[in-house]
Amino acid sequence: MKIAVLAGDGIGPEIVAEGVKILKVVAERCDLDLTLTDARIGGAAYDATGHPLPPETLALCRDSDAILLGAVGGPKYDTIEPPDLRPERGALLPLRKHLGLFANLRPAILSPALAGASSLRADLVEKGLDLLVVRELTGGLYFGQPKSNDGTRAVDTCVYTVPEITRIAQVAFQAARKRGKRLCSVDKANVLETSRLWRATVHEVAKEYGDVEVTDMLVDNCAMQLVRDPRQFDVIVTENLFGDILSDEAAMLTGSLGMLPSASLGQGTFGLYEPCHGSAPDIAGRGIANPLATILSVAMLLRYSLQREDAAAAVEAAVAGALEQGLRTADIAAPGEPSVGTMAMGDAVAALLAPDDDLPRD
Ligand code: NAD
């Protein structure tokens, strides 16, 4: 399997180095044949080539089975003209578009060891939290035409078609099948026509997944239930706008940006995997960034693109093990609690995946 490794900017190279370390250990442990190839993206690519997504990077991505991305951007690049050459606009968005990545998967995972970091009452999260939001990424209100704004009247249009809903529903059902086999489809079917089509189409797709229990929930109720009792959810699937809001709400229940992975999937098993956070220029180069969001993104890569649930579960168990041992990077340490650096956290996870003798040495 070919993996494109795009470290990017800021803390990107530091956290991706730990993700790659874990990929190498898990490849050995689970007998995976992986070819990892580095390429530039974002500000680093702009500095070297004059474009944040050089053609050779795009070509490598197209030729790969999966992409592991760090983060792009930073103050140095915020004012590049034209704006289409800025890292997020010129690299991330086109990359997702060129590769047809229509499904965004954002798990909100809170290990019991970190329950204190959540903004929710301890009794709601003391057993941890593990839910997945599947957001439709390329349709709905963000892309529908016509759009207009003449200064006195503005229009956005929400459009969904049966094929668009079917393909995201299939991703969600397949994800639910690999997890707790419960899918909650979120819409606003009491008001919106697109939601009525959404609901009918999800129920049509559900006929192919008899082993997955499907329920419907209105989006306003879902926003409330997420903070009332988040443990009731396994997988949530929803359209672009609702997913944008609910995935942020769910993510923040875990209280720590440095822990949150994501996957963006297209048709088939191809996917792009990256932490939810940005390039954290305020801590870049200091060796203190939390690599766990990237390492958990590696677990998602193993699960969704390589179809190796065993390897994905092993990585997630090793992350949980490192946290159980009390290891904390600065962002997740309680006040006064000692913390470890990026590399030490990566080493601890790697050591839990493989005996010391098996660790790859650079
Ligand atoms: P950010 O996520 O980079 O940082 C927000 C805060 O969280 C900072 O204090 C940072 O130090 C901390 N943080 C983030 N990741 C961390 C980690 N792994 N470990 C410890 N602490 C961590 O968001 P921002 O500061 O708004 O953006 C910085 C740059 O990143 C901007 O240029 C922005 O455009 C870009 N960005 C890129 C992506 C992406 O590549 N997908 C996403 C969001 C932002």
Side-chain angles (χ1 to χ4, degrees):
M1 303 293 271
K2 295 188 225 167
I3 316 279
V5 179
L6 314 181
D9 306 318
I11 60 170
E14 299 163 56
I15 53 174
V16 164
E18 301 312 310
V20 166
K21 182 187 288 175
I22 298 306
L23 264 177
K24 288 181 178 168
V25 175
V26 86
E28 181 117 334
R29 172 176 158 160
C30 297
D31 203 20
L32 303 170
D33 184 12
L34 302 182
T35 306
L36 307 180
T37 311
D38 294 308
R40 292 191 185 97
I41 193 167
Y46 178 83
D47 287 342
T49 70
H51 199 285
L53 182 62
E56 57 274 21
T57 298
L58 187 56
L60 173 74
C61 292
R62 283 191 198 284
D63 187 42
S64 299
D65 298 296
I67 303 167
L68 178 64
L69 178 77
V72 299
K76 180 179 162 194
Y77 308 106
D78 285 348
T79 50
I80 291 175
E81 290 295 343
D84 280 350
L85 289 180
R86 292 177 196 167
E88 279 178 280
R89 232 166 110 169
L92 276 190
L93 299 185
L95 190 60
R96 291 174 185 150
K97 184 162 169 276
H98 284 306
L99 300 175
L101 302 171
F102 63 86
N104 186 229
L105 275 58
R106 282 176 64 170
I109 304 163
L110 177 66
S111 110
L114 286 183
S118 174
S119 50
L120 293 185
R121 263 195 351 252
D123 60 304
L124 292 175
V125 289
E126 64 196 352
K127 292 190 189 135
L129 195 60
D130 182 2
L131 65 94
L132 174 70
V133 180
V134 178
R135 168 188 172 195
E136 201 291 324
L137 205 54
T138 54
L141 204 54
Y142 293 15
F143 293 91
Q145 294 296 334
K147 279 184 181 293
S148 66
N149 182 353
D150 66 8
T152 57
R153 185 171 181 271
V155 176
D156 289 295
T157 305
C158 189
V159 183
Y160 268 110
T161 63
V162 167
E164 282 176 306
I165 303 168
T166 300
R167 65 184 186 177
I168 188 75
Q170 275 165 344
V171 169
F173 275 105
Q174 279 157 23
R177 192 171 255 177
K178 293 186 177 130
R179 296 173 40 103
K181 298 192 168 41
R182 287 182 298 117
L183 179 66
C184 178
S185 172
V186 174
D187 59 39
K188 190 71 183 165
N190 54 343
V191 179
L192 300 176
E193 289 304 328
T194 42
S195 280
R196 278 196 266 275
L197 185 68
W198 179 278
R199 193 175 281 208
T201 308
V202 168
H203 282 270
E204 198 53 40
V205 176
K207 292 177 185 163
E208 297 164 38
Y209 298 88
D211 53 329
V212 177
E213 176 197 320
V214 62
T215 52
D216 303 297
M217 192 176 277
L218 296 175
V219 62
D220 38 352
N221 186 25
C222 183
M224 187 264 281
Q225 294 295 338
L226 272 172
V227 287
R228 193 187 72 84
D229 177 20
R231 288 174 57 83
Q232 72 183 277
F233 295 106
D234 176 24
V235 179
I236 291 173
V237 62
T238 191
E239 56 122 286
N240 203 344
L241 172 66
F242 301 158
D244 194 358
I245 299 164
L246 294 179
S247 64
D248 270 19
E249 184 188 357
M252 285 324 295
L253 300 178
T254 71
S256 48
L257 204 51
M259 296 290 302
L260 300 170
S262 79
S264 299
L265 307 178
Q267 296 288 9
T269 57
F270 182 80
L272 182 152
Y273 302 86
E274 58 180 326
C276 289
H277 60 72
S279 61
D282 53 334
I283 57 167
R286 292 168 53 196
I288 60 168
N290 186 345
L292 294 182
T294 308
I295 292 173
L296 290 168
S297 300
V298 164
M300 294 187 83
L301 183 156
L302 294 164
R303 174 170 293 123
Y304 295 111
S305 282
L306 273 55
Q307 308 269 293
R308 287 295 299 260
E309 180 59 36
D310 57 334
V315 171
E316 286 164 355
V319 168
L323 294 170
E324 301 275 313
Q325 288 175 354
L327 287 165
R328 301 284 185 272
T329 43
D331 58 311
I332 52 173
E337 201 178 14
S339 59
V340 298
T342 311
M343 210 183 278
M345 183 60 101
D347 285 345
V349 177
L352 285 162
L353 273 170
D356 279 352
D357 292 344
D358 289 351
L359 280 181
R361 312 260 173 229
D362 291 327

